[in-house]
Amino acid sequence: MNQNFESAIPMGNYMVSPATQETSNGLYRASIAVQRSQSKGAYCRVFNFDCEFVSREAARVYAITQGWLETGSANAQTC
């Protein structure tokens, strides 16, 4: 399975790096890395999602949306 990483996207105080991965059945999964490195301490979390998508673009949009939800609200919930 080949993971497709993209450039980091600035979202407030964080950088979100979306990634997509083709599964063995030809569908795609999404993941993100959320990073912050400031004087208050470094923060890095990786989120892997179980949802499967029919296109790489759909998985990418889902990953970016989840990154926005994670960095945009203290009480963000997954879609």
Side-chain angles (χ1 to χ4, degrees):
M1 292 184 214
N2 186 18
Q3 188 133 11
N4 182 25
F5 289 95
E6 298 189 24
S7 299
I9 301 167
M11 293 187 185
N13 295 328
Y14 299 91
M15 296 296 286
V16 174
S17 301
T20 57
Q21 181 176 9
E22 188 172 2
T23 62
S24 60
N25 61 359
L27 297 175
Y28 296 89
R29 287 198 174 169
S31 61
I32 56 170
V34 178
Q35 302 169 329
R36 177 191 74 200
S37 60
Q38 295 179 342
S39 59
K40 295 180 182 178
Y43 172 88
C44 181
R45 255 183 111 172
V46 175
F47 297 86
N48 296 303
F49 306 106
D50 291 333
C51 305
E52 292 184 330
F53 302 90
V54 295
S55 72
R56 187 176 300 278
E57 184 62 21
R60 178 184 172 277
V61 168
Y62 183 83
I64 293 170
T65 302
Q66 293 304 310
W68 178 78
L69 288 170
E70 181 62 31
T71 61
S73 171
N75 298 318
Q77 298 179 4
T78 23
C79 297

